[in-house]
Amino acid sequence: MDISARTMYGLRALVTLANARSDDPMSIQAIADEEALPAKFLEGIMADLKRGGFVRSKRGANGGYLLARPASEITLLDIIRHLDGPVAPVALHDKTAGDALTDRQKAFHPVWKEVRAATIRVLQTYTIQSIADAVPELAGDDFKPIYQI
């Protein structure tokens, strides 16, 4: 199964939004800087995620993007299907087959269908929130301990 760079960038941007420390919108530039992503490419991805109902935008000086619904309700499968299309980890078409499939070639079909079903099941299990929760807490540049005696 191939996950495109576009989809990986979208997933990373959504996890970044889920990990945001405030309810303020994040600009594309802030997301791009945090994840080392190309801002121009991310702009198109975020517009597509907005059309899909995964993020919403706020205009203005303090504008940017927010998740449109809780991160715990957005599965990896939702995002992959929206950005990359149908999930088909293994081609069900035998590329080695001529005009007609042999019985041995046909015998593989249940295996490929099971692999596809298992992949879909796993991708439905993981949410943006579960991935965000797996990211180690960053100390953050804004944390400065105060030492007083």
Side-chain angles (χ1 to χ4, degrees), residues 3-148:
I3 303 292
S4 69
R6 184 173 191 276
T7 296
M8 276 308 301
Y9 289 171
L11 289 167
R12 288 170 53 191
L14 291 170
V15 170
T16 299
L17 290 174
N19 275 342
R21 293 183 180 189
S22 74
D23 292 333
D24 295 332
M26 281 187 82
S27 70
I28 288 177
Q29 192 60 55
I31 297 168
D33 290 347
E34 190 164 323
E35 281 296 310
L37 302 175
K40 206 65 171 155
F41 192 33
L42 186 57
E43 194 174 303
I45 296 167
M46 296 306 286
D48 198 2
L49 290 172
K50 182 180 176 184
R51 281 189 296 277
F54 299 105
V55 297
R56 58 188 171 88
S57 63
K58 182 180 174 190
R59 295 182 144 206
N62 295 322
Y65 285 90
L66 297 158
L67 292 176
R69 58 184 196 244
S72 60
E73 295 177 12
I74 304 171
T75 68
L76 298 189
L77 181 64
D78 295 336
I79 303 304
I80 292 168
R81 279 186 170 160
H82 179 72
L83 294 175
D84 271 349
V87 174
V90 178
L92 297 178
H93 174 72
D94 186 345
K95 295 177 183 175
T96 65
D99 292 333
L101 294 176
T102 67
D103 288 339
R104 285 188 182 87
Q105 289 168 319
K106 290 177 188 175
F108 284 99
H109 283 196
V111 175
W112 305 146
K113 287 179 183 177
E114 192 172 332
V115 167
R116 181 179 183 278
T119 301
I120 288 171
R121 211 171 25 258
V122 169
L123 292 173
Q124 282 176 322
T125 301
Y126 286 92
T127 64
I128 294 299
Q129 188 63 58
S130 65
I131 301 299
D133 290 345
V135 176
E137 283 289 324
L138 301 175
D141 297 347
D142 57 342
F143 177 73
K144 293 182 178 51
I146 300 172
Y147 298 103
Q148 291 180 339

